[in-house]
Amino acid sequence: MKLTLLGTGDAPGTPVIGCSCPQCEYARTNHVQRLRTSLLVQHQGAHILIDTSPDLRQQLLLNGSPKIDAVIWTHGHYDHFMGFGDFYRVQKMPDVYAAPEVLAYCGNIFKFLPFRRCPVEPYHSFDISGLSVTLVEVNHPPAYTCGVVISDGETRIGYTADTRADIPAASLQAFTGVDLLFIDALVPPQFNIPKHMNYREACEVAGRIGASEFRCVHMSHHVAWDLPNTGKDGETFCFGTG
Ligand SMILES: [Zn+2]
Ligand SMILES: [Zn+2]
Ligand SMILES: [Zn+2]
């Protein structure tokens, strides 16, 4: 299993249009970005995308133009699904897996596109291309939102880009002991946002879960570039041989 962070940013991305803060200036000077958060999972020749960000076209071009076989939508916020239309006339529309209400909401916005809709209940594992995938509910009010646990039988990955720290116990249990966790860290420790975690909370949750390794994602331009365990766009992680 190979994982690639296609984006690590929040809804506006970094640099933010028109912003001259130190992080945005650094991004322009050094030609780095935090595109909107999305994770590419490769396994045995298949490509699965967690969330279809508004930067999807650019993200696929920057990462070898993979043909995407399946998409998982975590929730119906603009920065997590609105890039789905970028598949149109480029490749066969991928199958989409999501919790029923997320699929209904996002699918309705893309009702003009033909694609296979696969509603899946949280906490019930299903198979995509030989990977076991489980959606788990997180806490990102008022949007109904799921995180994702993916296993190839040897390695387990956890992903939750948008959540508060008070994640339901059943979901914390599902994330326990993952080999790698991707976790929401929207803002630095001194900020508190009711729908998201700050950097300190993200590190605490990763510790509580007992993740072997973790990367912060969904970071705003307030988050310094050099904090430990912050994900980088284009960063890859390889496990096993598949
Ligand atoms: Zn800025
Ligand atoms: Zn969100
Ligand atoms: Zn978001």
Side-chain angles (χ1 to χ4, degrees):
M1 182 162 50
K2 180 182 177 186
L3 311 166
T4 306
L5 273 172
L6 300 188
T8 58
D10 64 341
T14 302
V16 176
I17 296 168
C19 182
S20 57
C21 79
Q23 281 72 240
C24 289
E25 286 299 324
Y26 178 91
R28 290 190 192 90
T29 304
N30 294 280
H31 307 290
V32 292
Q33 296 197 67
R34 286 182 182 137
L35 299 176
R36 273 63 76 88
T37 292
S38 172
L39 181 71
L40 176 65
V41 182
Q42 293 171 251
H43 181 63
Q44 295 179 344
H47 295 84
I48 300 156
L49 195 55
I50 303 182
D51 286 336
T52 53
S53 96
D55 295 315
L56 187 125
R57 176 179 178 276
Q58 189 181 170
Q59 289 170 325
L60 296 186
L61 285 170
L62 286 170
N63 289 278
S65 301
K67 176 187 170 294
I68 304 300
D69 301 284
V71 161
I72 300 167
W73 280 332
T74 60
H75 65 302
H77 278 165
Y78 170 81
D79 49 324
H80 295 265
F81 77 100
M82 284 300 280
F84 186 69
D86 283 355
F87 289 119
Y88 179 62
R89 290 180 56 202
V90 170
Q91 64 155 79
K92 175 181 176 289
M93 298 305 289
D95 300 340
V96 180
Y97 297 80
E101 68 181 273
V102 174
L103 194 59
Y105 178 82
C106 303
N108 187 49
I109 288 169
F110 288 109
K111 61 186 172 196
F112 55 95
L113 289 175
F115 63 97
R116 195 161 79 93
R117 293 156 166 81
C118 310
V120 283
E121 293 293 336
Y123 306 112
H124 293 269
S125 299
F126 55 100
D127 180 278
I128 307 179
S129 303
L131 292 173
S132 172
V133 180
T134 313
L135 301 184
V136 298
E137 293 174 344
V138 291
N139 192 359
H140 182 48
Y144 178 84
T145 304
C146 287
V148 186
V149 179
I150 295 184
S151 172
D152 65 1
E154 292 182 1
T155 304
R156 287 168 62 241
I157 306 299
Y159 177 95
T160 174
D162 291 43
T163 186
R164 295 160 47 102
D166 48 353
I167 295 169
S171 303
L172 285 176
Q173 179 67 32
F175 283 132
T176 296
V178 290
D179 296 283
L180 177 59
L181 177 71
F182 298 96
I183 189 162
D184 179 348
L186 185 79
V187 285
Q190 64 271 28
F191 290 56
N192 284 300
I193 305 284
K195 296 183 199 178
H196 291 272
M197 282 188 262
N198 65 30
Y199 178 78
R200 179 183 49 77
E201 291 172 312
C203 295
E204 280 174 5
V205 169
R208 209 180 324 143
I209 285 169
S212 303
E213 200 175 345
F214 72 100
R215 289 292 184 277
C216 296
V217 294
H218 207 277
M219 294 171 285
S220 72
H221 65 143
H222 298 294
V223 177
W225 288 95
D226 58 355
L227 280 180
N229 297 112
T230 49
K232 302 282 181 276
D233 283 30
E235 190 173 3
T236 59
F237 309 86
C238 294
F239 297 94
T241 52

